[in-house]
Amino acid sequence: MRLADRRKWRLRLRDLAAGAAFSAVALSGALPLPVTVLFVISLGVSLLGRRPFANQRVWSVLALLAVAVVLFGLVSRGALDLVVAAVGFATLVTAHRMLSEPTPATDQQVLLASLLLMAGAAALSGDVLYAVCLLAFGVFACLSLGLSVVEGPIERDEELPLTPVLRQVSIGVAIALMGGIAFFVLFPRLSWNVAARRTGAGVFGGTTGMSDRVRLGGGGDIKTSARVVLRAKLEPAPRGDRLDRYWVGRHFDLFDGREWRASGEPGMPKPRIMRAEVGGILQRIELTPAYGSRTLVGLEQPIYFGPATALGNTGTSPVQLVQVGRDEVRFAEEANAYTYVVHSRSDVPQLEQDRAALEALHALPPELDPRISELAARLADQATEAEDVAPLFERYLRNNLNYTLELPGEVDDPLTDFLFVRKEGHCEHFATALAVMLRTRGIPARVVGGFFGGERLGERFVVRAGDAHAWVEAYSPARGWMTFDATPESGRGSRPPAIFSRLVDAYERLEELWRSRVVDYTIIDQWEFVRKLVRPPAGASSAADEPDPVGPAGERTPTRAILGAFAAGLLVLLLWRRFMKGPSGAHPAAGFLVDVERKLQGLAIQKQPGEDLEALTKRLQSEQHLLAEPLSRATRRYLEARFGDRPLLKEERRALLEGLERR
Amino acid sequence: MSSEKREPRQKNGWRRSLKTTRVGRTYLVITVGIGLGALNTGNNLLYLVLGFLLSIIVLSGVLSERVIADVRVKRLLPDGAFAHEPFALRYEVSRVKGRAFAVKVSEGGGTLEGWAWIPTVLAGSPVTVRADVTAPRRGPLRLKQVQISTFFPFGLFEKSRTVDLEDLILVWPRRGFSCDPPEADHGRMSGESGNQRHRDGAGDIQGLRELGELEDARRVHWKKSATAGKLLKVEREREDRKQYTLRIDDDAPGDHLERACEETAALTNRLLGEGNDVGLEAGGRRIRPASGPGHEKRILSALASLGYAVPRSEPLP
């Protein structure tokens, strides 16, 4: 490969490495937009081979210094996080170097600045995509550096074979990655996640949110979203891979005929909110950036919201909770993501003491279609209590109306339209209809917004944006608040496209693995790892409870450790030998010689003792043998390739061997 | 017996040196910074990056060792070299097995400044490269070691291996400033050169005469001699050239001798260039005045060895 091509490849690899490092930062979502735009433009210009700063060194450096001053000002005023500012500046330095005169020194500066970006991204984000970016950065940067080193201090336009260089560097990078992983696993952790940001703001922002209002009408696009908004670890862990339960978010009690609103004012911030004695199901919940709201979510009948942590651009910090009205709990501060603890108990009847509040839940829209009341009266017949009436209404709505996400156009009275005209709608329509019909019968009812469902991924359950759901709570003086859901079962969970859902599932599994094995890896995990390596895990044998004939567990021979160490040693030895041996010491032309000799044997041409190929050729020529001419050509070409530094091409080699066959 | 045919191994113990390059120093600073960040914050991703960076350092050591371990070097010495002036010193670099990349070859011990660069060396295909090196002083210079270095694979470190390889090179004095030449020789000519009548110049042919006794047989015109049946010598016009014998009386080592050698070398070059015959008397050795490039080398070699005891066993270039 000539100098121009080599340089082109080197610069491309360098730019790709810088692009990978930038992606790691950009995925955190923390980078200011102007910096992101500038880098993307610079990367494009650099990949096109343009270097506008090559002749503008002074001005470009001055501009960079000016940006540094601005960033410093923003940091000192508290408008920008220090880490974000540093990473932003490193991004601009990388872009500047990419657009400067391309020399080996500039390449190294680009890659070192990109390395700083990778370190910054490690502080800003904990996504699994960081691993992909790190891998890409490592490979591209090492290959670029390898090419740069072989080029030497003075670039000379001579032909150089680069494949061996790239091959050796690639093997080296693979070994370095394995070494890095080994270091990661074995290096003892002295502290963990003191200042780590386990998640960034995300590139796509929040998907669902919990808005203050639920307006009837429009489609249900969100049901097709497979983005994960919530991860929860439950104790005790439920059986099965699906969790068909309601995750309560907000309660809506005021309905004006078109939309539901929530009443109630925010209270004072508190570290925890307790409504009853702690017990039931413990949930350790993580709300992802895709959630996009400050409302806490918990399994049905949450009775305790515990210590919460906000994951923001400035790091991890405790966050206080605010009770809004009687039922909603919000985080006091805005952040990218949150973690908190919830206890839920379904065995405690939630009795309402506030009579006035219950009275408010009888309110009906002023222009309610009388057909709705008539329908409710007809369906309820003589029943008066919530536990009797609501199932009747549920059954009617499920059996007579259809579930659909496609509701084009606006209508004046969406509830009447749903019940008597279109006769199809999504969960908000079903919930509204049920609540209003209950109210017409004098039963306090309200709409609840949250999620329904949950899928097991590893140790946790995940809830997707498409699991967003609305249902009804009706009050029974005897049994307190009760949950009713008129939406057909097929319409309750998410409905993402199959392929997309599978992709998101795969990603989530990877993310879960990444979090549990990498991001949250602690010295306890290290200890467990070593313990499992040395001793078989308890219960691994079916006869674990039986007396061990060999002796106590602690005195057993650590077979697994010995086998593991032996396998690791063998692997290292093989790799080392392979590595130190390198490619075969034989000259590339030697293979051709072997092939020629094999052909001659096949053609019953026997070499005399001590006779080499040249001597054999001469002998055949003197005998005027048919093979003399093709063998002479093959011999000459072999000698040229072996000693004359004229490599033998594949096609040429095949043609020479075929020439021997034809005779 | 086959072991006798083998080339002597150039591996003399584990003599390696490691220098950090500029980018390597920055890399180490960043690695330490990331390590401190990882230890302080407990951020596992920083540990992951740190592990990768440390592995790269270890890998650099392994790959660079692999590059320089099996490299063989031979010196191809030049005919002559002037002190303080770059001259071409060639190396033949080869490998028995595997490949080597980004190899730098230089003289060990700082005897000569300069190096040669070889991008790739394949097994069984020796590469000859030229290094533009500079000798720091006049005189016989014993080259004892060759340093084989590499920046491979990432240019973070320069790893070097020193190989014992002895050679002797005679470095001629630098051709410095020359004063006015001394007076031309008178009455000190030997042989025909003192004869005003002799016509053995390099000008036009003036005629033929019979070759005298002790006269230079290279002037014989063989065709005419064969025709005449006796040895006939070609007589050519002789240019107006002078003979000079340059002298260095004090050959005690020191700065004085160095300057004298440099001046004499410059003067020799100048006088020969003007078409004169130049001779030398120095250190008890006398070179008869003569001309031609070979003669200049003889004088330069004599000047180079002035003040030094050149081993007789070592053939000088």
Side-chain angles (χ1 to χ4, degrees):
Chain A
M1 194 181 279
R2 306 296 297 191
L3 177 63
D5 292 331
R6 292 200 302 270
R7 183 185 285 177
K8 195 164 69 183
W9 274 104
R10 196 186 77 213
L11 294 177
R12 273 187 191 160
L13 288 168
R14 180 200 75 176
D15 291 348
L16 287 173
F22 169 76
S23 302
V25 177
L27 285 169
S28 71
L31 210 56
L33 186 63
V35 176
T36 306
V37 172
L38 278 175
F39 186 89
V40 171
I41 293 171
S42 304
L43 184 63
V45 171
S46 181
L47 283 171
L48 287 173
R50 305 284 169 83
R51 316 282 162 199
F53 292 163
N55 300 318
Q56 301 289 336
R57 288 183 65 182
V58 177
W59 289 111
S60 58
V61 170
L62 284 176
L64 204 57
L65 286 175
V67 171
V69 171
V70 170
L71 288 173
F72 178 75
L74 289 172
V75 171
S76 59
R77 287 176 56 193
L80 194 62
D81 178 49
L82 180 63
V83 178
V84 174
V87 170
F89 187 63
T91 307
L92 293 177
V93 169
T94 310
H96 176 266
R97 295 283 77 202
M98 275 163 50
L99 299 180
S100 301
E101 182 69 28
T103 62
T106 316
D107 294 358
Q108 290 163 351
Q109 287 159 3
V110 169
L111 295 174
L112 287 174
S114 302
L115 180 57
L116 288 176
L117 287 186
M118 287 308 307
L124 290 175
S125 167
D127 293 337
V128 67
L129 288 175
Y130 178 84
V132 179
C133 294
L134 179 63
L135 187 69
F137 170 75
V139 171
F140 291 138
C142 288
L143 291 178
S144 173
L145 277 174
L147 290 184
S148 179
V149 164
V150 171
E151 207 61 70
I154 304 160
E155 290 183 327
R156 285 178 292 198
D157 190 12
E158 57 186 314
E159 187 76 24
L160 281 182
L162 289 188
T163 312
V165 182
L166 295 178
R167 190 184 302 144
Q168 194 159 101
V169 173
S170 303
I171 295 170
V173 172
I175 292 174
L177 283 171
M178 285 193 284
I181 291 168
F183 174 88
F184 176 84
V185 172
L186 297 174
F187 187 82
R189 299 295 191 277
L190 304 177
S191 58
W192 51 92
N193 288 342
V194 176
R197 303 172 195 199
R198 298 174 74 251
T199 185
V203 180
F204 304 108
T207 301
T208 54
M210 285 279 177
S211 63
D212 291 333
R213 297 157 190 262
V214 173
R215 189 175 178 82
L216 294 183
D221 295 342
I222 199 169
K223 299 297 281 184
T224 59
S225 172
R227 292 183 71 192
V228 171
V229 293
L230 180 154
R231 296 188 186 94
K233 191 170 181 181
L234 307 186
E235 294 174 17
R239 290 180 181 176
D241 290 338
R242 290 204 60 84
L243 187 73
D244 289 334
R245 296 191 62 172
Y246 294 94
W247 298 83
V248 180
R250 277 188 188 174
H251 294 81
F252 300 95
D253 46 8
L254 303 175
F255 183 60
D256 63 1
R258 292 190 63 84
E259 68 178 19
W260 286 93
R261 282 184 293 117
S263 62
E265 294 299 317
M268 292 298 290
K270 297 176 187 171
R272 55 184 62 82
I273 289 170
M274 187 183 290
R275 293 173 183 157
E277 195 179 334
V278 172
I281 300 176
L282 167 68
Q283 305 138 63
R284 297 181 195 282
I285 293 181
E286 178 189 344
L287 295 175
T288 70
Y291 179 58
S293 172
R294 284 162 61 180
T295 300
L296 279 79
V297 178
L299 277 178
E300 206 173 11
Q301 310 297 9
I303 45 112
Y304 170 84
F305 291 94
T309 309
L311 310 167
N313 287 335
T314 54
T316 306
S317 58
V319 61
Q320 293 209 313
L321 307 177
V322 176
Q323 176 137 0
V324 183
R326 286 197 314 281
D327 298 299
E328 186 190 349
V329 179
R330 291 184 188 177
F331 298 105
E333 294 167 22
E334 191 82 40
N336 296 335
Y338 304 92
T339 59
Y340 57 96
V341 172
V342 184
H343 284 269
S344 299
R345 292 180 66 174
S346 53
D347 57 336
V348 180
Q350 291 198 319
L351 296 173
E352 189 62 73
Q353 307 297 331
D354 190 348
R355 289 284 147 198
L358 279 179
E359 281 303 316
L361 294 174
H362 289 103
L364 289 166
E367 296 174 359
L368 186 71
D369 192 320
R371 287 181 292 175
I372 298 174
S373 304
E374 290 166 12
L375 174 67
R378 180 164 54 83
L379 292 174
D381 198 12
Q382 300 298 317
T384 55
E385 297 301 322
E387 58 267 37
D388 301 324
V389 178
L392 296 172
F393 291 173
E394 273 184 340
R395 197 176 310 129
Y396 171 79
L397 293 170
R398 278 187 211 153
N399 294 339
N400 295 282
L401 292 104
N402 295 323
Y403 185 87
T404 182
L405 295 174
E406 295 171 7
L407 293 168
E410 283 279 322
V411 290
D412 291 336
D413 188 348
L415 186 56
T416 306
D417 183 65
F418 168 64
L419 284 171
F420 304 113
V421 182
R422 194 175 290 179
K423 294 193 173 182
E424 57 182 15
H426 51 69
C427 59
E428 289 168 359
H429 294 92
F430 282 95
T432 302
L434 179 59
V436 169
M437 286 167 73
L438 285 170
R439 285 188 181 188
T440 60
R441 301 306 300 161
I443 298 170
R446 59 191 181 185
V447 168
V448 187
F451 299 92
F452 178 84
E455 281 173 61
R456 184 190 289 278
L457 277 178
E459 293 179 335
R460 305 185 203 199
F461 283 88
V462 296
V463 175
R464 302 175 192 282
D467 292 328
H469 191 48
W471 63 95
V472 172
E473 282 183 359
Y475 189 75
S476 161
R479 299 169 68 174
W481 286 107
M482 299 173 70
T483 297
F484 298 99
D485 192 350
T487 308
E489 282 185 16
S490 60
R492 289 180 189 172
S494 57
R495 299 177 147 199
I499 295 175
F500 187 57
S501 176
R502 265 186 225 145
L503 283 175
V504 172
D505 273 359
Y507 176 80
E508 278 301 321
R509 283 178 199 282
L510 204 62
E511 179 85 23
E512 178 64 25
L513 201 68
W514 171 255
R515 281 176 184 282
S516 59
R517 296 284 185 268
V518 178
V519 178
D520 295 334
Y521 189 69
T522 63
I523 198 164
I524 299 164
D525 297 313
Q526 286 185 307
W527 175 247
E528 281 293 313
F529 175 75
V530 175
R531 201 177 62 80
K532 280 179 186 171
L533 206 65
V534 175
R535 295 180 193 168
S541 166
S542 57
D545 296 335
E546 293 173 11
D548 193 334
V550 179
E555 293 172 16
R556 281 182 201 148
T557 309
T559 317
R560 187 179 290 198
I562 292 171
L563 287 177
F566 181 73
L570 196 65
L571 182 69
V572 169
L573 183 71
L574 286 174
L575 279 174
W576 179 262
R577 288 187 66 173
R578 170 75 187 89
F579 211 55
M580 293 310 285
K581 188 181 171 189
S584 169
H587 194 279
F592 177 65
L593 179 64
V594 172
D595 287 346
V596 169
E597 287 181 342
R598 204 172 285 155
K599 288 272 180 219
L600 292 175
Q601 273 185 355
L603 295 165
I605 305 285
Q606 295 297 327
K607 284 205 296 185
Q608 291 171 358
E611 191 178 43
D612 60 14
L613 194 62
E614 266 184 292
L616 175 66
T617 308
K618 281 180 186 165
R619 179 161 65 81
L620 294 184
Q621 280 173 339
S622 66
E623 292 171 3
Q624 295 187 334
H625 196 282
L626 276 174
L627 280 175
E629 194 267 326
L631 184 62
S632 169
R633 273 194 285 123
T635 306
R636 183 178 173 75
R637 195 62 194 86
Y638 162 71
L639 293 172
E640 281 178 349
R642 177 68 181 83
F643 303 106
D645 204 18
R646 274 190 58 202
L648 191 58
L649 301 175
K650 271 184 186 172
E651 297 75 24
E652 205 178 357
R653 177 182 177 140
R654 193 167 52 233
L656 288 168
L657 290 172
E658 284 173 1
L660 286 172
E661 276 176 0
R662 277 199 292 271
R663 305 294 168 119
Chain B
M1 288 288 109
S2 61
S3 61
E4 289 178 8
K5 292 179 183 174
R6 276 189 198 163
E7 287 182 40
R9 282 182 71 83
Q10 292 181 332
K11 205 169 183 176
N12 299 305
W14 185 265
R15 286 191 292 179
R16 305 284 189 273
S17 63
L18 195 69
K19 269 197 294 186
T20 313
T21 61
R22 193 172 169 182
V23 63
R25 280 195 291 276
T26 315
Y27 180 87
L28 288 181
V29 168
I30 291 176
T31 305
V32 170
I34 289 175
L36 289 175
L39 287 173
N40 278 327
T41 64
N43 186 329
N44 275 323
L45 298 187
L46 285 179
Y47 274 108
L48 199 62
V49 176
L50 178 66
F52 184 64
L53 296 183
L54 293 176
S55 295
I56 289 286
I57 292 173
V58 175
L59 183 75
S60 292
V62 174
L63 285 182
S64 57
E65 178 60 30
R66 188 173 178 244
V67 163
I68 61 173
D70 287 324
V71 172
R72 310 276 173 103
V73 180
K74 280 182 195 166
R75 272 194 211 95
L76 305 172
L77 295 173
D79 287 344
F82 290 96
H84 304 292
E85 291 179 17
F87 65 94
L89 177 62
R90 289 178 302 146
Y91 296 99
E92 187 187 278
V93 184
S94 61
R95 273 186 79 99
V96 176
K97 61 177 182 180
R99 297 182 174 94
F101 306 103
V103 178
K104 189 176 124 182
V105 182
S106 59
E107 287 300 321
T111 45
L112 294 173
E113 290 174 16
W115 40 264
W117 179 265
I118 310 121
T120 52
V121 185
L122 303 179
S125 300
V127 180
T128 303
V129 283
R130 194 187 79 171
D132 287 329
V133 295
T134 308
R137 63 164 178 81
R138 168 192 69 87
L141 198 62
R142 189 173 290 282
L143 306 175
K144 294 182 177 175
Q145 294 171 332
V146 172
Q147 187 165 297
I148 304 162
S149 315
T150 185
F151 294 95
F152 194 75
F154 305 121
L156 304 176
F157 307 99
E158 181 186 356
K159 192 172 196 178
S160 305
R161 170 182 153 229
T162 307
V163 172
D164 288 340
L165 186 64
E166 294 213 5
D167 273 309
L168 188 73
I169 184 170
L170 194 63
V171 181
W172 300 331
R174 175 171 58 178
R175 288 170 295 193
F177 170 77
S178 65
C179 319
D180 289 337
E183 283 190 13
D185 296 347
H186 294 290
R188 295 171 63 104
M189 289 77 175
S190 59
E192 277 190 339
S193 59
N195 182 358
Q196 293 300 314
R197 283 186 64 255
H198 97 279
R199 292 182 174 84
D200 59 351
D204 295 335
I205 294 174
Q206 285 198 329
L208 299 169
R209 68 170 173 83
E210 194 171 350
L211 185 72
E213 217 173 304
L214 296 177
E215 282 189 327
D216 192 348
R218 288 176 298 180
R219 297 279 178 175
V220 171
H221 195 295
W222 294 105
K223 275 189 177 177
K224 295 290 182 188
S225 299
T227 312
K230 56 185 177 184
L231 291 173
L232 296 176
K233 180 191 174 187
V234 180
E235 285 191 321
R236 290 176 182 273
E237 261 183 3
R238 183 159 185 261
E239 296 90 354
D240 184 20
R241 60 197 301 176
K242 296 177 182 174
Q243 290 188 347
Y244 294 91
T245 301
L246 306 175
R247 293 181 186 80
I248 297 175
D249 298 324
D250 183 7
D251 62 350
D255 195 40
H256 170 75
L257 177 63
E258 296 304 317
R259 273 188 282 147
C261 286
E262 288 175 11
E263 192 179 329
T264 307
L267 205 53
T268 303
N269 184 256
R270 192 178 116 196
L271 292 173
L272 288 172
E274 289 170 358
N276 301 302
D277 292 346
V278 180
L280 177 71
E281 276 185 21
R285 185 177 173 187
R286 183 168 185 276
I287 297 174
R288 207 177 63 171
S291 59
H295 186 67
E296 185 178 9
K297 282 183 185 174
R298 273 197 295 280
I299 292 178
L300 287 171
S301 297
L303 288 172
S305 55
L306 206 58
Y308 293 99
V310 181
R312 289 188 183 279
S313 57
E314 299 282 354
L316 291 174

